[in-house]
Amino acid sequence: MRPLKVRGASLIEAVVASVILLAVFAATMELLPRLSVRDDEGLRMAQGRYRLACILRKYASGAWPEGAYVETSEGVEATIRIERYGGYEDLQLLVVEVRIDGCRRRLEHRQIVPCVP
């Protein structure tokens, strides 16, 4: 019976394979923290949603004049814009944008509210 010959990988092939694996591992370790949610980000988003709900209760009454307003509270900055909706005299468009310190995400809400005479 003939002996079985197995071709072994050359040193260059082994080095190239290890460099490729190292590059994939480094890229994964670089991207993984960016894709995951930080521990405090969930709490900050909850604070932002709470401030958004408070602002909607306040400004959705239709009694506020047209214009831009800014409110800040505990690391949350809300920009409120009230403008006439289309050609309607009795409707306003309420746009609220909430920015949260230390968080990459923003909250935005648009709502049509009736004007109070």
Side-chain angles (χ1 to χ4, degrees):
M1 199 170 203
R2 270 181 28 192
L4 188 64
K5 289 186 178 182
V6 178
R7 286 186 50 187
S10 69
L11 181 60
I12 294 175
E13 289 173 338
V15 169
V16 168
S18 64
V19 167
I20 291 172
L21 287 174
L22 180 63
V24 169
F25 179 74
T28 303
M29 294 307 289
E30 177 67 27
L31 291 176
L32 191 61
R34 293 181 187 178
L35 297 176
S36 65
V37 176
R38 294 182 301 196
D39 293 337
D40 58 345
E41 190 168 317
L43 177 61
R44 291 177 192 228
M45 286 300 295
Q47 288 173 338
R49 283 191 214 99
Y50 174 74
R51 287 298 302 148
L52 178 62
C54 292
I55 288 169
L56 288 177
R57 277 195 305 272
K58 180 178 177 180
Y59 288 94
S61 64
W64 291 83
E66 294 180 24
Y69 306 91
V70 176
E71 291 191 9
T72 56
S73 173
E74 299 177 11
V76 178
E77 179 182 301
T79 304
I80 303 103
R81 284 192 339 251
I82 300 174
E83 53 195 46
R84 180 106 20 227
Y85 179 69
Y88 299 99
E89 293 292 323
D90 58 343
L91 293 177
Q92 291 178 334
L93 175 63
L94 172 66
V95 180
V96 181
E97 184 178 332
V98 178
R99 287 184 211 91
I100 305 156
D101 290 345
C103 186
R104 297 177 295 221
R105 295 172 52 192
R106 294 182 185 176
L107 300 172
E108 185 174 329
H109 181 82
R110 294 174 179 265
Q111 181 175 344
I112 299 171
V113 296
C115 296
V116 175

